[in-house]
């Protein structure tokens, strides 16, 4: 029986491994370069770098960017759409909107399925679920013949009004499965039984285009890990912040479209709670991008309005995460107007920043931090050496353009990057009615702690928390999740007319399905937690808000009160005298699994013993370079107070404490940074 809980997070630049020893409570980590072409290779390399064998592993949890990258790169299997006669263009018409309404020349990305591969079936269901036109079996058999001739690998089925009655979809799926047994098929009534044909069709299409690719990837990974001696299930993180087994990945492949980025949000919530904060903003800055999430009153904010490419929404509930192109590898450039820009283009892991010496020639945030002395020339415990001369050469065009020396150019690059991230932090907080001054900033990822203090100062965030292992915090998040499924159903009725018994019966039916899903994943009943949510809206509006309700509902009074309160917070408006209608039901089905408990530590050694050297580091606020202490983080004892300027280095990240900040180390070895005079 294995003794290690292992989590692997595959990022755009690095694959991170977090290992927790269940017996000794020890933690150790590993980082290897990601292998985008075959991501499973990076996962296996990471496990080998951690120096453990498969039979040592008790739990293996995994966050992956395989689905995200497949959609972005359009490396998708040939897929067909089968829809109601007259509705083949729903996915192309979309909502008729654009991401930038004022850019007349920028088009929305083309549909994932070409028009010639979208087919119509003569069927019809009315608004109340009555079947007006049944499916003709011979018509479907003829369609199967065409699809076979075209070598279709996957099929999406989405009929009008299938959300209220999916019988016609089920009939078509059964016939196609019989005629095309090797083809992946998903239907909208199973994937997302909700009103709004565009959103439902788009989600079903994404589920279908990802199905074959994601399933194959998980199968290959499962076989490779099994060959190393691990005979358990691979648990795969999904967008809603839970995990699924490989069997459910096959059914709900679309939920993996944001698998990797959800892990960091979960870790930020856990770390903030360890430090006593119920409100936190997570800043996960890696090599390619920065992912920002928000926890309010102990709960991660979720959304059903998200996408990988604008115009093609994914209706599965997802942790609300804002991603911007600001990472360690983000490229600094001069635009056509002569302004300095930062990202979203990234050097990634291939070729990487110029200082990696892997062929990159353009300046990145990593190059800028190296030039300013904030990064050591030796990283990853000495396994990687950075070339400062290559960074200087990469900065030359910016120096020439603005008349800067290399240090001024590097500082300007970082100021632009910080401005981009500050704007994103405002969008996820201030724009949604939250005051950043009420939050802590949890900074992680390989590069988050290099920038976090400046972002906190810009937004008046009082505390920055840098976890003990910031570079692999997202991998830690993979070990902190439960099994989770979200079941939804559209149901429109005025709260004045609907009976609570009707709501109770609908919830009970959904709960039966939720219990079945959790049982299939080996969860016993005492470990199941079924949370009920009502979607509600003012009569006449189409945007809805979700309100949590209790079991054995006898009155809607509390739900209505919470709805008005949430509407006021979200939109600065509420009207208790206006009629409200129920718009839908959602069951959040959680299968609780044991989680690692991070141990508290006692002070060992002194801060002086953790001091490795002094190095000249550039800080604009001091007028240039200043002799700065460099600490070895694993040797920094808990309870230490570090006054800036200071740099704290470790295997997976570097922490910058600017001159006007002070940091303290808590019993979990988190570094908590605040402005001098604010620290408690």
């Amino acid at each position: 029986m294995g003794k290690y809980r292992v989590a692997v997070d595959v990022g755009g630049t690095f694959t991170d491994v977090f290992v927790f020893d269940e017996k000794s409570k020890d933690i150790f980590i590993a980082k290897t370069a990601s292998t985008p072409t075959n991501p499973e290779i990076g996962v296996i390399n990471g496990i080998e770098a951690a120096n453990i064998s498969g039979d040592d592993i008790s739990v293996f949890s995994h966050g992956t960017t395989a689905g995200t990258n497949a959609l972005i790169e359009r490396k998708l299997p040939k897929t067909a759409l089968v829809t109601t006669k007259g509705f083949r263009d729903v996915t192309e018409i979309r909502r008729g909107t654009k991401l930038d309404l004022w850019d007349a020349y920028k088009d929305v990305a083309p549909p994932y399925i070409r028009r010639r591969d979208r087919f119509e079936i003569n069927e019809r269901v009315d608004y109340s679920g009555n079947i007006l036109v049944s499916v003709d079996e011979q018509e479907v058999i003829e369609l199967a013949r065409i699809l076979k001739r075209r070598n279709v690998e996957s099929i999406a089925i989405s009929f009008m009004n299938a959300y209220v009655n999916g019988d016609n979809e089920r009939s078509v799926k059964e016939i196609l499965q019989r005629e095309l047994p090797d083809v992946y098929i998903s239907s909208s009534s199973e994937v997302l039984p909700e009103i709004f044909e565009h959103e439902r069709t788009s989600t079903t299409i994404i589920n279908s285009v990802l199905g074959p690719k994601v399933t194959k990837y998980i199968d290959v990974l499962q076989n490779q890990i099994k060959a190393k001696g691990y005979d358990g299930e691979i648990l795969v993180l999904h967008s809603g912040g839970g995990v699924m087994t490989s069997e459910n990945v096959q059914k709900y492949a679309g939920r993996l479209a944001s698998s990797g980025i959800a892990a960091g949000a979960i870790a930020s919530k856990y770390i903030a709670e360890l430090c006593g904060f119920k409100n936190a903003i997570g800043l996960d800055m890696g090599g390619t991008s920065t992912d920002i999430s928000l926890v309010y009153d102990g709960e991660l904010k979720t959304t059903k309005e998200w996408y990988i490419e604008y115009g093609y929404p994914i209706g599965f509930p997802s942790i609300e995460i804002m991603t911007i192109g600001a990472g360690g590898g983000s490229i600094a450039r001069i635009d056509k107007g002569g302004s300095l820009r930062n990202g979203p283009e990234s050097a990634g892991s291939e070729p990487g920043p110029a200082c990696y010496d892997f062929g990159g020639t353009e300046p990145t945030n990593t190059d800028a931090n190296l030039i300013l002395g904030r990064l050591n020339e030796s990283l990853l415990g000495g396994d990687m050496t950075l070339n400062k001369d290559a960074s200087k050469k990469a900065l030359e065009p910016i120096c020439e353009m603005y008349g800067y020396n290399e240090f001024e150019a590097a500082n300007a690059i970082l100021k632009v990057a910080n401005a981009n991230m500050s704007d994103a932090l405002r969008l996820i907080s201030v724009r949604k009615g939250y005051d950043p001054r009420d939050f802590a900033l949890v900074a992680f990822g390989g590069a988050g702690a290099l920038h976090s203090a400046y972002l906190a100062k810009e937004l008046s965030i009082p505390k920055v928390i840098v976890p003990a292992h910031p570079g692999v915090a997202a991998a830690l998040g993979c070990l902190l999740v439960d099994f989770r499924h979200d079941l939804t159903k559209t149901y429109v009725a005025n709260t004045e007319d609907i009976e609570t018994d009707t709501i109770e019966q609908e919830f009970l039916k959904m709960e039966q399905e939720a219990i079945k899903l959790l049982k299939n994943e080996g969860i016993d009943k005492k470990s199941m937690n079924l949370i009920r949510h009502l979607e509600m809206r003012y009569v006449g509006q189409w945007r809805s808000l979700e309100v949590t309700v209790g079991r054995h509902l006898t009155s809607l009074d509390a739900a209505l009160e919470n709805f008005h309160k949430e509407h006021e917070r979200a939109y600065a408006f509420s009207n208790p005298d206006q009629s409200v209608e129920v718009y839908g039901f959602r069951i959040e089905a959680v299968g609780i699994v044991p989680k690692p408990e991070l141990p508290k530590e006692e002070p060992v050694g002194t801060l002086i013993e953790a001091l490795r050297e002094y190095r000249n580091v550039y800080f604009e606020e001091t007028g240039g370079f200043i002799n700065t202490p460099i600490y070895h983080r694993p040797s920094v004892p808990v309870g230490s107070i570090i006054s800036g300027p200071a740099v704290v280095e470790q295997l997976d990240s570097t922490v910058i404490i600017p001159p006007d900040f002070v940091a303290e180390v808590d019993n979990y070895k988190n570094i908590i940074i605040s402005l001098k005079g604010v620290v408690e």
Side-chain angles (χ1 to χ4, degrees):
M1 180 68 180
K3 64 174 182 177
Y4 296 120
R5 289 176 173 266
V6 178
V8 179
D9 177 59
V10 180
T13 305
F14 289 104
T15 294
D16 302 330
V17 182
F18 187 98
V19 181
F20 180 78
D21 190 322
E22 294 175 320
K23 294 181 179 179
S24 69
K25 308 299 182 185
D26 289 337
I27 293 168
F28 50 99
I29 63 174
K31 289 179 82 77
T32 59
S34 294
T35 52
T37 306
N38 300 102
E40 67 277 0
I41 295 175
V43 175
I44 298 300
N45 290 343
I47 294 173
E48 291 176 349
N51 198 28
I52 57 175
S53 62
D55 54 7
D56 288 331
I57 301 173
S58 61
V59 176
F60 181 85
S61 188
H62 175 42
T64 176
T65 54
T68 312
N69 293 340
L71 292 174
I72 292 171
E73 296 169 2
R74 297 272 175 148
K75 294 179 179 178
L76 305 169
K78 186 167 186 179
T79 306
L81 171 67
V82 181
T83 189
T84 304
K85 189 172 183 179
F87 291 91
R88 71 190 290 197
D89 294 323
V90 162
T91 187
E92 196 151 6
I93 296 171
R94 303 180 310 278
R95 291 291 170 200
T97 60
K98 301 173 72 171
L99 186 59
D100 187 345
L101 293 176
W102 310 110
D103 190 342
Y105 298 99
K106 189 173 183 179
D107 294 325
V108 175
Y112 293 114
I113 300 176
R114 298 176 301 175
R115 194 170 194 271
R116 68 187 299 270
D117 293 322
R118 305 197 293 260
F119 300 88
E120 299 177 343
I121 287 288
N122 189 31
E123 71 83 37
R124 181 67 69 171
V125 174
D126 71 10
Y127 72 96
S128 62
N130 297 313
I131 295 179
L132 304 180
V133 179
S134 298
V135 171
D136 182 342
E137 183 174 354
Q138 284 305 122
E139 183 182 10
V140 181
I141 291 173
E142 175 61 22
L143 173 61
R145 186 185 64 80
I146 296 171
L147 297 177
K148 184 175 183 179
R149 190 173 67 238
R150 294 194 181 186
N151 296 316
V152 165
E153 301 171 67
S154 183
I155 301 170
I157 305 171
S158 182
F159 292 161
M160 284 294 296
N161 295 334
Y163 71 93
V164 70
N165 185 344
D167 287 349
N168 277 353
E169 283 194 349
R170 280 188 284 274
S171 297
V172 171
K173 183 175 180 179
E174 288 170 3
I175 297 167
L176 291 176
Q177 283 178 327
R178 185 185 70 212
E179 300 294 319
L180 304 168
D182 297 327
V183 173
Y184 181 93
I185 305 174
S186 59
S187 62
S188 73
S189 55
E190 294 175 324
V191 172
L192 191 74
E194 295 184 16
I195 200 171
F196 291 135
E197 66 276 8
H198 169 52
E199 287 76 7
R200 178 162 47 87
T201 300
S202 174
T203 303
T204 307
I205 287 173
I206 288 170
N207 201 70
S208 296
V209 298
L210 289 182
K213 189 176 185 70
V214 169
T215 301
K216 181 181 178 182
Y217 163 63
I218 295 298
D219 286 345
V220 170
L221 180 59
Q222 183 104 37
N223 290 335
Q224 292 197 11
I225 293 181
K226 188 175 181 180
K228 288 188 168 294
Y230 177 65
D231 58 1
E233 278 278 6
I234 289 181
L235 304 181
V236 186
L237 190 72
H238 63 66
S239 61
V243 288
M244 299 188 293
T245 59
S246 54
E247 180 182 350
N248 280 317
V249 166
Q250 185 174 5
K251 297 177 184 176
Y252 301 107
R255 300 209 72 171
L256 267 63
S258 66
S259 166
I261 59 179
I266 294 162
S268 70
K269 174 180 180 292
Y270 176 77
I271 292 160
E273 288 174 345
L274 280 183
C275 298
F277 295 96
K278 286 191 172 183
N279 298 343
I281 298 174
L283 179 85
D284 182 2
M285 185 177 182
T288 306
S289 61
T290 295
D291 302 318
I292 301 171
S293 58
L294 187 140
V295 180
Y296 180 70
D297 199 21
E299 296 293 330
L300 279 164
K301 305 308 290 182
T302 59
T303 182
K304 291 174 66 178
E305 298 180 4
W306 62 288
Y307 52 84
I308 299 300
E309 290 186 293
Y310 184 82
Y312 305 104
I314 303 173
F316 295 122
S318 173
I319 294 173
E320 188 170 8
I321 298 170
M322 177 171 291
T323 300
I324 63 170
S330 292
I331 295 170
R333 57 186 171 81
I334 301 167
D335 68 15
K336 293 181 180 178
S339 297
L340 182 62
R341 303 289 183 183
N342 193 297
E345 298 83 1
S346 173
S349 59
E350 298 173 356
C355 59
Y356 282 14
D357 257 357
F358 294 156
T361 58
E362 296 177 287
T364 67
N365 293 330
T366 298
D367 294 300
N369 277 307
L370 178 63
I371 290 293
L372 298 183
R374 299 181 184 183
L375 275 180
N376 201 320
E377 293 183 42
S378 177
L379 296 181
L380 299 179
D383 290 342
M384 175 179 282
T385 301
L386 304 184
N387 184 343
K388 187 178 286 189
D389 289 335
S391 295
K392 291 178 181 178
K393 185 173 180 60
L395 263 64
E396 286 177 359
I398 295 174
C399 294
E400 293 173 4
M401 177 68 183
Y402 302 112
Y404 288 159
N405 61 38
E406 64 203 54
F407 312 116
E408 292 169 331
N411 189 55
I413 288 171
L414 296 185
K415 288 177 73 173
V416 175
N418 289 342
N420 291 341
M421 287 185 281
S422 294
D423 286 345
L425 289 170
R426 290 188 183 94
L427 287 175
I428 205 168
S429 58
V430 178
R431 187 173 180 178
K432 295 181 181 294
Y434 300 104
D435 188 339
R437 293 172 295 184
D438 297 331
F439 290 75
L441 181 65
V442 183
F444 54 103
L450 285 162
H451 300 256
S452 55
Y454 292 103
L455 304 180
K457 186 175 183 179
E458 174 68 20
L459 277 80
S460 300
I461 297 173
K463 303 281 186 181
V464 175
I465 304 168
V466 183
H469 305 284
V472 297
L476 166 64
C478 294
L479 284 185
L480 300 172
V481 294
D482 298 307
F483 286 96
R484 173 172 165 163
H485 298 280
D486 296 273
L487 287 76
T488 60
K489 181 176 181 178
T490 296
Y491 191 102
V492 182
N494 195 300
T495 56
E496 298 171 3
D497 302 327
I498 191 170
E499 298 287 338
T500 53
D501 285 345
T502 301
I503 296 175
E504 185 70 21
Q505 290 305 311
E506 291 294 340
F507 273 131
L508 286 173
K509 284 190 286 186
M510 294 171 69
E511 285 175 349
Q512 289 175 2
E513 185 180 348
I515 290 169
K516 183 179 178 182
L517 283 169
L518 292 175
K519 277 185 176 179
N520 289 341
E521 290 175 320
I523 303 297
D524 57 63
K525 199 157 188 177
K526 66 181 180 180
S527 298
M528 295 181 188
N529 187 16
L530 305 180
I531 305 167
R532 297 177 172 186
H533 304 275
L534 280 179
E535 282 196 69
M536 307 176 79
R537 64 186 181 185
Y538 287 120
V539 173
Q541 291 189 342
W542 71 277
R543 288 192 180 276
S544 60
L545 288 173
E546 196 171 77
V547 176
T548 303
V549 295
R551 299 176 66 81
H552 310 298
L553 200 64
T554 58
S555 170
L556 288 177
D557 290 347
L560 285 167
E561 183 180 345
N562 289 336
F563 168 76
H564 293 306
K565 187 184 299 183
E566 179 64 12
H567 205 281
E568 178 71 33
R569 186 205 60 75
Y571 302 114
F573 166 79
S574 65
N575 184 1
D577 298 325
Q578 186 172 339
S579 294
V580 177
E581 63 184 6
V582 171
Y583 175 65
F585 310 123
R586 180 168 76 89
I587 291 289
E588 183 182 339
V590 180
I592 300 170
V593 298
K595 301 172 184 64
E597 294 184 12
L598 300 184
K600 287 187 176 181
E601 296 195 16
E602 296 297 328
V604 176
T606 66
L607 186 60
I608 293 297
E609 292 171 343
L611 181 63
R612 288 294 178 263
E613 62 174 329
Y614 280 85
R615 185 169 72 227
N616 281 331
V617 181
Y618 185 100
F619 293 100
E620 185 180 38
E621 50 268 57
T622 64
F625 283 95
I626 185 171
N627 202 29
T628 303
I630 312 297
Y631 295 98
H632 180 239
R633 185 167 185 182
S635 304
V636 174
V638 300
S640 297
I641 295 179
I642 306 172
S643 184
V647 177
V648 185
E649 297 179 339
Q650 61 192 106
L651 172 71
D652 55 324
S653 188
T654 299
V655 184
I656 296 295
I657 305 169
D660 47 353
F661 285 79
V662 63
E664 55 183 336
V665 184
D666 71 6
N667 290 109
Y668 294 101
K669 300 208 78 171
N670 297 304
I671 294 179
I672 303 176
I673 306 171
S674 57
L675 276 167
K676 289 180 179 177
V678 178
V679 64
E680 298 173 357

